[in-house]
Every structure is written in structure tokens, then in C-alpha cells.
Amino acid sequence: MGRKIYLDGNMVPENEARISVFDIGFMYGATVYESLRTFRHKIFKMDEHLARLERSLRYIGLEPGAIIGEVADAVKKVLSANIHLTDKDDDVWMCAQVTPGKGFPHPVLKQTDYRPTIIVFDTNMPYADYVRYYSEGAGIVTTRVRNISPEVIDCRVKHRSRLHFFLAKREAMAQDPDAYAVLMDGNGNISEATGANFFTVSGNKLYTPPEKNILVGISRQTVIGLAGEMNIPVVEKDMNLYDVYNSDEAFLTTSSYCILPISRVNGVKTGAGKPGAVTNKLLDAWSETVGVDIVEQARRFSGI
């Protein structure tokens, strides 16, 4: 039996899931969502993810009350329906998406059906995409494509209007096929990666862009919390490429890989050109917190 997904109140086989081509999430990219993962088959920081989804729903004009309850229930149903497909020592990545529902099939925003579309699915962790970077560090490319200004869409909203991310990824891959794309803001300061937050380490302090022009990630907040427990100061400040090139270490944070060491930026070696001590200490602390050796799990189940 294959995986099942949750779609508008029903659990359906993944290959049978269908939504209208006139769904506003498809026509306008008007979709808010949350990416989650499990540790030991339990959702990590689900309450924090649901709280952020609630804020995103309110921002796009959807009443979050009933939706949040349905999403929470759907996440549990999907996990329960599919977890037998996952090894007891492995985990899954999950996604919960909400759109305003169907619209009128012309390029004007005219809704006649105000029932939101709710989708929840899970999938295998993409370990093979990043497992080697735990030991050697990944490369990033800062792109000419800039992040969306908070004057256009508030950066605190997790949404699917991400053409700029797609273009940034293509630009980065044209320069370095293995690199991750990092976008800057309109003033030339580091903003965020395509789906991840950015940190540097200098003098045993963590530096990360301020909240004004980034999505405030759950993983970012986890790192800040771990750093506090380890008495590592965290400074939120604007950072340009001069700051990044002169840092001792750098890393990305997101739900899947948690912390990903960076060894080069635009071809320039970062620090020693390999994962640094502070980065590794934070990753070890995260593993200890969740009771899973994050790196070893990725190596074991990567298939490579």
C-alpha cells in the first residue's frame, strides 16, 4: 500500500489526490504552509508550527480557528496512516498547506466558494541531498535575485509565492551545481536561503540576520535556544558579504537537515573550509535534545 494524503477532509491515496485547476493557491500562489519533521516518529515542535501557520492564515485573511484544528488533526492522521512505511529508526518530512479555495476561472480574484483547501502529506527525508555536507560542508552562492521586500509581503509569512526562490536556485546552480542559493535584501545584506535561515560564527558568537526581512524559522529559534543553553551569545544584525567572508564558520538551518555546515561562499573558503567546532557542537546538542543522532541517521538511511 502506498502513502495516503489528507485532502479536504478525506484520506486519499497519494496518486489519486486532485485539486481544482482554479484553486487560488494554484492561480495566484496564495498558499500558506508549514514544513515539519519527526524525531522518533513524533512531530518536532508542532505547537510552534501551528502557531506560525495561524499567524500566516490571519495575514492572508482566513479565519484560523477551525482551520488550525483541522490541520492539527490531519497531521496526526497522515502520520498514523503512513508511519508503517518508515523504519523504526528513521523519520519523515511533512507538509501542511492551506489555500483560500477555488476562485472564478478568469485572471481576477472573484471567489464564489469560500471553503479553504487543506492538504497534508508526508514523504521520506531527503538525506541523500545533503548528508555529505555534514562532514565536508556545503557551498552557497549569493544571487542577483533579491528577496521579496517586507513592504510587498511580510517576510514572517510562510507562503508558496516563491518564484524568486526558484530563480535564485537556478542562478546558483548555474555557477555551482551543488551550491545552495542565499538571497540578499534590497540593501545588499544577507537575508535567507531558499527555505533556510543563515548563521555565521565569529569569535565564539553567533550572528544571524534580523527578523525584519526573513522568515523566522522554527529551526532558527531552536538554534538560538540551544546557543543560550550553551552560553553562546547570539547577535541579530545586518550582515553583508564582507562580514560573511571574514567569519570563522557559517551554517544554514531548516526542518529537514536541522543544521547544515557551510564551507564556501561564492567560491571563497569560510574559516577553515570545513564544518567548524561551534556548528558541530550545536548539531550535537540538537541530537541530544531529540534523542536522535541526526548525522548518523542521515548516513544510515541516505541510500548512498
Side-chain angles (χ1 to χ4, degrees):
M1 296 291 291
R3 293 184 183 275
K4 293 185 177 180
I5 77 166
Y6 180 92
L7 176 58
D8 289 341
N10 300 304
M11 295 293 294
V12 299
E14 186 177 78
N15 62 353
E16 296 179 14
R18 303 288 187 271
I19 67 169
S20 171
V21 295
F22 303 125
D23 193 282
I24 293 171
F26 176 73
M27 297 186 74
Y28 288 86
T31 304
V32 293
Y33 76 106
E34 285 295 318
S35 297
L36 313 95
R37 68 157 291 170
T38 64
F39 288 109
R40 302 175 68 87
H41 293 189
K42 298 185 184 301
I43 301 294
F44 181 62
K45 296 198 171 182
M46 184 167 172
D47 288 345
E48 288 88 338
H49 280 285
L50 291 176
R52 185 171 62 181
L53 180 61
E54 182 174 346
R55 294 190 294 270
S56 295
L57 288 166
R58 201 172 279 119
Y59 179 80
I60 68 169
L62 294 181
E63 173 53 48
I67 294 174
I68 290 296
E70 184 174 347
V71 168
D73 185 57
V75 167
K76 295 173 185 176
K77 286 182 177 179
V78 169
L79 185 61
S80 176
N82 296 331
I83 199 62
H84 68 282
L85 301 171
T86 302
D87 188 280
K88 64 180 179 64
D89 294 321
D90 197 5
D91 282 292
V92 296
W93 182 88
M94 303 189 73
C95 185
Q97 302 188 152
V98 184
T99 86
K102 287 189 291 185
F104 192 69
H106 286 291
V108 291
L109 184 59
K110 181 179 180 182
Q111 270 188 276
T112 56
D113 184 345
Y114 288 88
R115 290 174 296 179
T117 300
I118 299 176
I119 305 168
V120 177
F121 62 89
D122 73 336
T123 186
N124 296 326
M125 295 287 296
Y127 301 124
D129 290 346
Y130 56 78
V131 62
R132 67 188 176 98
Y133 300 130
Y134 286 127
S135 58
E136 64 186 62
I140 63 172
V141 169
T142 55
T143 64
R144 291 171 297 174
V145 177
R146 298 299 175 100
N147 206 2
I148 294 177
S149 167
E151 296 177 354
V152 178
I153 300 176
D154 195 298
C155 298
R156 291 171 291 184
V157 179
K158 193 172 180 71
H159 59 85
R160 287 291 193 198
S161 302
R162 293 190 162 193
L163 181 59
H164 61 305
F165 277 7
F166 176 79
L167 296 174
K169 286 182 179 182
R170 287 177 66 93
E171 181 184 333
M173 290 176 65
Q175 297 183 47
D176 180 347
D178 293 326
Y180 290 74
V182 169
L183 291 79
M184 294 184 284
D185 65 17
N187 295 315
N189 295 309
I190 298 294
S191 178
E192 58 191 348
T194 55
N197 289 124
F198 183 78
F199 283 83
T200 63
V201 182
S202 293
N204 204 44
K205 288 183 181 180
L206 290 183
Y207 293 87
T208 191
E211 296 183 4
K212 64 182 180 181
N213 61 355
I214 63 168
L215 175 72
V216 181
I218 306 301
S219 298
R220 177 184 184 270
Q221 298 306 100
T222 300
V223 166
I224 291 173
L226 291 171
E229 294 172 7
M230 299 166 67
N231 295 315
I232 300 174
V234 180
V235 180
E236 298 185 46
K237 65 183 288 289
D238 287 330
M239 295 186 293
N240 58 29
L241 283 175
Y242 178 91
D243 301 309
V244 175
Y245 291 151
N246 286 285
S247 63
D248 299 325
E249 306 174 32
F251 60 86
L252 302 176
T253 65
T254 199
S255 295
S256 54
Y257 48 69
C258 303
I259 294 175
L260 193 71
I262 297 302
S263 59
R264 65 188 188 280
V265 179
N266 298 329
V268 177
K269 185 171 67 174
T270 302
K274 61 182 180 179
V278 174
T279 301
N280 286 332
K281 285 179 183 178
L282 288 166
L283 188 51
D284 288 343
W286 195 324
S287 292
E288 184 176 349
T289 297
V290 297
V292 173
D293 187 326
I294 293 168
V295 176
E296 180 55 36
Q297 182 188 59
R299 288 173 177 158
R300 178 180 174 188
F301 294 105
S302 66
I304 57 175

